[in-house]
């Protein structure tokens, strides 16, 4: 499993220019007024989607048949992908937390560290939930059909998030005000809730993906 993780890190190394471009683009958009929430969502979702892309790389030219001749079980393969997903989410969160203050300074916006950490925790929970749904879809349908299903899944998540915001707005509930209320509960407790919920879905998803991959023929 360690070898599989190193393999995925090598794939990242080949794509390092792409990731640098994504981060620079996100900083530019944030500096132009897109906001910290957009920066977080953009960077973390792009990094997490690349985790799914590594499966497509593995499937190229019947690569899965070769991989499973190595001393790695299908369960270990699934666990490595989920661990790699956690790594990519953590990496994107660290990059965001390091660069967002600079973007806020350019906009001359006051830095509220508690709100920033809470926003990061909420985005982390959403991205974990996204990967929890995306991994089984990718393992089930493969790279070609999985790409279409991923697009549909991403569109549904965006529609749900936009719809939820609109519904809350109809009842006079603002998202920023909600964040302020959560801060009053305690930044640590408020940050732990979305992350815990995301990790719970992530854990359930592991069992689903293992069952799917163990039944799949290559």
């Amino acid at each position: 499993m360690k070898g599989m993780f190193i393999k995925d890190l090598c794939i990242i190394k080949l794509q390092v220019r792409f990731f640098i471009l994504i981060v620079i683009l996100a900083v530019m958009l944030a500096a132009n007024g897109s906001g910290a929430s957009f920066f977080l969502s953009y960077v973390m979702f792009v990094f997490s989607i690349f985790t799914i892309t590594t499966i497509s790389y593995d499937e190229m030219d019947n690569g899965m048949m070769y991989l499973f001749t190595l001393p790695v079980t299908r369960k270990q393969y699934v666990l490595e992908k989920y661990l790699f997903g956690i790594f990519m989410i953590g990496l994107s969160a660290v990059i965001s937390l390091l660069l967002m203050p600079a973007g806020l300074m350019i906009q001359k916006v006051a830095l509220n560290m508690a709100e920033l950490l809470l926003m990061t925790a909420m985005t982390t929970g959403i991205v974990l939930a996204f990967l929890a749904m995306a991994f089984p879809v990718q393992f089930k349908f493969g790279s070609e059909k999985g790409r279409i299903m991923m697009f549909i899944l991403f569109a549904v998540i965006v529609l749900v998030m936009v719809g939820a915001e609109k519904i809350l707005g109809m009842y006079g509930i603002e998202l920023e005000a909600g964040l302020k209320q959560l801060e009053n509960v305690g930044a640590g407790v408020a940050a732990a809730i979305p992350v815990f919920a995301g990790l719970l879905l992530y854990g359930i998803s592991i069992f689903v993906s293992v069952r799917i991959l163990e039944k799949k023929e290559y």
Side-chain angles (χ1 to χ4, degrees):
M1 195 163 73
K2 179 181 176 182
M4 301 295 291
F5 194 88
I6 293 172
K7 171 188 68 66
D8 287 342
L9 288 177
C10 289
I11 294 175
I12 287 183
K13 187 178 178 181
L14 294 173
Q15 301 290 332
V16 67
R17 291 181 181 177
F18 167 76
F19 286 110
I20 292 172
L21 180 62
I22 289 298
V23 172
I24 292 173
L25 180 60
V27 171
M28 290 173 61
L29 291 171
N32 287 329
S34 296
S37 59
F38 173 82
F39 180 91
L40 261 174
S41 302
Y42 184 73
V43 173
M44 293 184 74
F45 266 102
V46 171
F47 274 57
S48 65
I49 287 172
F50 187 79
T51 307
I52 305 298
T53 305
T54 61
I55 302 175
S56 299
Y57 276 104
D58 292 342
E59 291 177 343
M60 287 176 62
D61 300 321
N62 295 319
M64 284 292 201
M65 293 179 64
Y66 170 75
L67 286 174
F68 290 133
T69 61
L70 301 175
V72 57
T73 65
R74 298 192 178 201
K75 183 177 180 180
Q76 288 174 331
Y77 178 84
V78 170
L79 289 174
E80 186 275 328
K81 290 301 177 187
Y82 278 81
L83 285 173
F84 190 70
I86 294 287
F87 169 77
M88 291 298 284
I89 291 171
L91 178 63
S92 61
V94 170
I95 291 172
S96 298
L97 285 172
L98 290 174
L99 294 180
M100 265 197 300
L104 292 172
M105 286 176 64
I106 293 171
Q107 293 182 57
K108 296 181 179 179
V109 176
L111 177 63
N112 185 329
M113 202 61 196
E115 187 176 336
L116 197 60
L117 289 172
L118 181 55
M119 198 181 297
T120 303
M122 290 183 69
T123 307
T124 299
I126 293 170
V127 174
L128 282 168
F130 169 73
L131 283 182
M133 293 182 283
F135 273 124
V137 168
Q138 186 70 18
F139 286 129
K140 178 69 175 178
F141 296 101
S143 58
E144 295 300 324
K145 293 181 180 178
R147 195 174 294 116
I148 298 171
M149 297 300 295
M150 282 279 293
F151 176 79
I152 295 171
L153 178 61
F154 188 76
V156 169
I157 291 173
V158 171
L159 287 172
V160 169
M161 290 175 66
V162 172
E165 187 176 356
K166 294 290 184 184
I167 292 170
L168 289 172
M170 289 171 60
Y171 289 95
I173 302 172
E174 295 183 2
L175 187 59
E176 290 184 5
L179 287 174
K180 295 289 183 184
Q181 291 296 323
L182 285 174
E183 285 177 30
N184 295 333
V185 174
V189 175
I193 293 172
V195 174
F196 177 77
L199 287 173
L200 181 62
L201 288 172
Y202 208 68
I204 294 170
S205 178
I206 291 174
F207 291 102
V208 176
S209 292
V210 169
R211 287 180 63 86
I212 289 172
L213 199 61
E214 286 181 342
K215 293 180 179 179
K216 192 168 184 178
E217 294 183 4
Y218 289 100

